[in-house]
Amino acid sequence: MKISVIGAGNVGASAASAIMLRKIADEIALVDIFGNVALAKAMDLAQSAAVFDIDVKISGGDDFSLIKDSDIVVVTAGSPRKEGQSREDLLLKNAQIVKSTVEKIAKFAPNCIIINVTNPLDILTFVTYKVSGFDKSRILGMAGELDSARLKFEISKRLNLQNSQIKAHVMGAHNDDMLVLKDNINVTLSDDEFEEISNDTKTGGAKFVKLLGTSAYYAPGAAAAKMCEAIKDESDEWLSCCVVVDDGLTCGRRVKLNKNGIAKIKDPSQEEKEALVKSENDIRKNINFLIESSVLS
């Protein structure tokens, strides 16, 4: 399997590293507008593979032809969120970047599955869908697995449980309106515990921005790698991913993945449908804004 990562910054390099260490791909390509950065990080990753006797070909540069024949392309290119900046503030700037990137992906890797990681996640996953012209089964956004991991982290921290003991899924938008429900957690929490854990999960990304001055990268990279692994192994596990719900909406759902992309989307319960309304309305509003702008023309 060949996996390409567009964007050799913190998130892209972390994703490529996790893909390499999990032995998901036989070939990895790292592409960035700063070609020497992508080349250097590809060399570093290749030497890391040598440390662990992992047989994988890793290339890097600014030439999009490097992604030719990719099975999966992970898009991390874009401007990271800065302190005091909402995900929505990034919308127009990153929409242009993602549009240009996806046009090149469609040219050089027309049969791939695209996993978008660039924020604002849900809206730019819609841009990926529209610009690529790909079937919606081959368009995914990485957010739900990251938010679910943050939820598991908060539960583990408070209840002193091992990660493997916890099952938890977050759905909806990748912002403060993300859907965290007790019914989607396999451990018992008091109302107070749940409220604290839910709030800390929803503000998990902002904490990194405050501490680092930029977004997190190890966990987002790991979450993207997990999605790649599920595609390769055709896992039967339900994952939380952003998907194309209809022709005007991309939003977080629970899905099963295979080598063709999305194998199955789990229908939300009635409670989930009602709780998803605000997330979905806000996403539609931003999507409509992009449609009315020149970005998708």
Side-chain angles (χ1 to χ4, degrees):
M1 172 171 279
K2 179 176 179 178
I3 300 176
S4 294
V5 180
I6 311 301
N10 288 332
V11 176
S14 296
S17 178
I19 289 165
M20 179 270 291
L21 289 169
R22 295 288 293 179
K23 302 180 182 180
I24 302 168
D26 304 303
E27 184 174 354
I28 300 170
L30 193 57
V31 177
D32 195 283
I33 57 171
F34 300 104
N36 286 342
V37 172
L39 177 60
K41 291 190 178 183
M43 290 171 58
D44 200 5
L45 286 168
Q47 291 169 15
S48 298
V51 171
F52 293 108
D53 293 328
I54 297 172
D55 296 323
V56 57
K57 177 182 177 182
I58 305 177
S59 58
D62 59 3
D63 187 347
F64 265 81
S65 66
L66 289 169
I67 75 170
K68 185 180 178 183
D69 299 326
S70 294
D71 297 287
I72 304 171
V73 177
V74 180
V75 178
T76 71
S79 175
R81 188 160 57 119
K82 299 177 176 62
E83 185 174 1
Q85 184 181 42
S86 71
R87 290 185 176 92
E88 286 69 26
D89 290 336
L90 291 172
L91 179 53
L92 284 175
K93 182 176 183 179
N94 279 350
Q96 293 285 2
I97 294 171
V98 168
K99 179 184 178 182
S100 175
T101 299
V102 172
E103 287 171 344
K104 295 181 180 70
I105 293 171
K107 176 181 178 181
F108 290 103
N111 298 314
C112 75
I113 296 164
I114 303 178
I115 299 175
N116 174 55
V117 184
T118 306
N119 280 318
L121 190 286
D122 303 278
I123 304 147
L124 296 186
T125 300
F126 178 83
V127 172
T128 301
Y129 169 57
K130 283 298 184 183
V131 173
S132 68
F134 289 7
D135 185 87
K136 62 184 180 181
S137 65
R138 293 197 284 138
I139 301 296
L140 292 161
M142 187 297 296
E145 279 304 299
L146 171 61
D147 294 329
S148 297
R150 287 173 173 165
L151 176 57
K152 288 175 64 175
F153 167 76
E154 296 296 341
I155 294 170
S156 172
K157 185 171 66 174
R158 281 167 175 75
L159 301 188
N160 195 29
L161 295 173
Q162 298 293 325
N163 290 330
S164 58
Q165 296 176 279
I166 305 166
K167 298 293 183 184
H169 289 279
V170 173
M171 298 166 58
H174 183 48
N175 57 27
D176 293 346
D177 292 326
M178 68 182 70
L179 182 58
V180 182
L181 294 176
K182 270 189 177 183
D183 287 350
N184 294 335
I185 300 170
N186 72 331
V187 298
T188 302
L189 300 169
S190 70
D191 289 343
D192 287 344
E193 286 173 332
F194 175 74
E195 184 176 0
E196 290 178 6
I197 286 169
S198 177
N199 288 337
D200 285 344
T201 299
K202 292 177 180 181
T203 59
K207 292 173 186 174
F208 285 95
V209 176
K210 184 175 181 179
L211 290 168
L212 290 174
T214 188
S215 301
Y217 40 93
Y218 292 130
K226 182 178 180 179
M227 292 170 65
C228 293
E229 191 167 40
I231 291 167
K232 177 188 178 184
D233 296 341
E234 300 194 320
S235 170
D236 196 47
E237 180 183 358
W238 289 106
L239 300 185
S240 294
C241 308
C242 179
V243 301
V244 181
V245 178
D246 59 47
D247 206 48
L249 177 66
T250 38
C251 191
R253 293 289 191 271
R254 283 164 293 186
V255 305
K256 290 185 179 181
L257 304 177
N258 63 20
K259 290 179 181 178
N260 296 315
I262 299 169
K264 188 175 182 179
I265 300 176
K266 189 170 187 177
D267 290 332
S269 67
Q270 187 58 40
E271 180 188 12
E272 289 167 343
K273 287 180 181 178
E274 293 171 0
L276 282 166
V277 169
K278 187 178 188 307
S279 281
E280 293 183 350
N281 285 344
D282 287 346
I283 293 169
R284 286 187 193 275
K285 180 180 177 180
N286 281 296
I287 286 173
N288 288 335
F289 168 72
L290 279 186
I291 291 172
E292 292 167 3
S293 73
S294 60
V295 175
L296 291 176
S297 62

